[in-house]
Amino acid sequence: MGNQSFIAVIGDIKDSRRLENRNKTQETFKGVLDHINNKYQANIASNFMITLGDSFQGLLHPEADLFAILFELELAMSPVDFRFGIGVGEITTTINPTNSMEMDGPAYHLAREMIEQIEDSERKHHQPETNTLIRLQKDGSNVEIALNTILSLTTALKSKWTDRQKEVLYAYVNQAENQYHAAEALAIGQSSVNKVLKATSYYNYKNALQQATRLLRGTITC
């Protein structure tokens, strides 16, 4: 694999044992991952796949729109909550486009460390709270601090959104951010979509993720 960096993503569902219908959630989860794999095929080095009943992993190319992918996944699975561990680094095995479980390398090790760090923080009630952490194999402590600060702030913003607001945002994202098309898909008025966008500070949220994406890409490719 040389020195090329990839973006490894490991995620799991929070409090999965408390879900009312785990089988239905898992079926929905698989369908959402299939949708992500198809929609973002050009971004994906190895497909997102369920590794255990409540966990998944996948591998992205360095230029991938990482945060947009995770955001869409979260909206699609609402009200289910996730943790995301992200590792940026090398893959030391052959890339398997269809089975990420057959691969290994520092990128996945770092992603797993980030999941464990989030879980440890939750147990100890540490602040700031976040559902996403990222670690870089290359020395990039200042970049990591900036990225994880953005992710902590966006987690705080998301925590105030209602399930209905997430439903409207998901329709808006899936309708190419067209308010009228999103309203039609939900059989509501365009003004209702606009109100949700304002109430959730969606454009501030989106801008924060776009800046995080630029920062990450600049770090990987430099």
Side-chain angles (χ1 to χ4, degrees), residues 15 33 38 48 55 85 125 149 154 163 165 170 193 198 215:
D15 299 323
L33 292 182
N38 289 327
F48 286 92
S55 302
H125 303 288
T149 298
T154 54
D163 292 341
Q165 287 173 332
Y170 185 53
V193 176
K198 290 181 178 179
L215 180 59

Side-chain angles (χ1 to χ4, degrees), residues 151-165:
L151 294 171
S152 179
L153 291 171
T154 54
T155 296
L157 186 58
K158 286 184 297 185
S159 70
K160 302 180 185 301
W161 296 350
T162 66
D163 292 341
R164 177 57 175 171
Q165 287 173 332

Side-chain angles (χ1 to χ4, degrees), residues 36-99:
I36 293 291
N37 287 331
N38 289 327
K39 181 175 180 179
Y40 294 97
Q41 184 177 11
N43 287 240
I44 295 174
S46 183
N47 283 344
F48 286 92
M49 61 181 296
I50 296 174
T51 53
L52 296 171
D54 60 353
S55 302
F56 77 96
Q57 69 181 50
L59 191 70
L60 300 175
H61 293 297
E63 69 277 5
D65 203 350
L66 166 66
F67 300 114
I69 292 172
L70 297 186
F71 179 49
E72 185 168 339
L73 190 158
E74 284 186 283
L75 291 179
M77 288 298 296
S78 177
V80 173
D81 292 321
F82 282 89
R83 304 179 187 90
F84 299 114
I86 303 165
V88 180
E90 298 175 13
I91 296 297
T92 55
T93 57
T94 301
I95 300 295
N96 186 326
T98 60
N99 191 343

Side-chain angles (χ1 to χ4, degrees), residues 22-222:
R22 294 185 67 182
N23 289 335
K24 183 178 179 180
T25 298
Q26 189 170 21
E27 290 175 7
T28 301
F29 191 18
K30 185 179 184 304
V32 169
L33 292 182
D34 287 343
H35 171 74
I36 293 291
N37 287 331
N38 289 327
K39 181 175 180 179
Y40 294 97
Q41 184 177 11
N43 287 240
I44 295 174
S46 183
N47 283 344
F48 286 92
M49 61 181 296
I50 296 174
T51 53
L52 296 171
D54 60 353
S55 302
F56 77 96
Q57 69 181 50
L59 191 70
L60 300 175
H61 293 297
E63 69 277 5
D65 203 350
L66 166 66
F67 300 114
I69 292 172
L70 297 186
F71 179 49
E72 185 168 339
L73 190 158
E74 284 186 283
L75 291 179
M77 288 298 296
S78 177
V80 173
D81 292 321
F82 282 89
R83 304 179 187 90
F84 299 114
I86 303 165
V88 180
E90 298 175 13
I91 296 297
T92 55
T93 57
T94 301
I95 300 295
N96 186 326
T98 60
N99 191 343
S100 59
M101 291 183 68
E102 294 184 356
M103 300 182 304
D104 195 16
Y108 275 116
H109 302 166
L110 295 171
R112 173 54 61 190
E113 286 178 18
M114 293 301 93
I115 282 284
E116 293 172 352
Q117 187 170 321
I118 294 172
E119 293 174 339
D120 185 60
S121 179
E122 290 173 350
R123 285 192 295 268
K124 297 178 179 178
H125 303 288
H126 284 171
Q127 297 295 330
E129 181 180 350
T130 185
N131 77 324
T132 309
L133 282 175
I134 187 167
R135 177 70 55 81
L136 310 178
Q137 181 183 359
K138 296 180 180 178
D139 183 25
S141 57
N142 290 334
V143 173
E144 283 180 13
I145 291 171
L147 288 171
N148 286 320
T149 298
I150 292 173
L151 294 171
S152 179
L153 291 171
T154 54
T155 296
L157 186 58
K158 286 184 297 185
S159 70
K160 302 180 185 301
W161 296 350
T162 66
D163 292 341
R164 177 57 175 171
Q165 287 173 332
K166 293 176 184 177
E167 182 182 7
V168 174
L169 290 177
Y170 185 53
Y172 181 65
V173 169
N174 268 313
Q175 296 296 329
E177 297 198 341
N178 184 299
Q179 293 188 32
Y180 293 95
H181 292 168
E184 183 178 357
L186 295 171
I188 59 178
Q190 173 270 331
S191 62
S192 296
V193 176
N194 190 49
K195 287 178 181 177
V196 168
L197 294 173
K198 290 181 178 179
T200 57
S201 298
Y202 170 75
Y203 295 112
N204 289 333
Y205 177 87
K206 179 182 176 181
N207 180 64
L209 293 190
Q210 287 176 332
Q211 297 305 319
T213 299
R214 292 189 184 100
L215 180 59
L216 178 59
R217 286 174 176 168
T219 302
I220 295 176
T221 58
C222 69

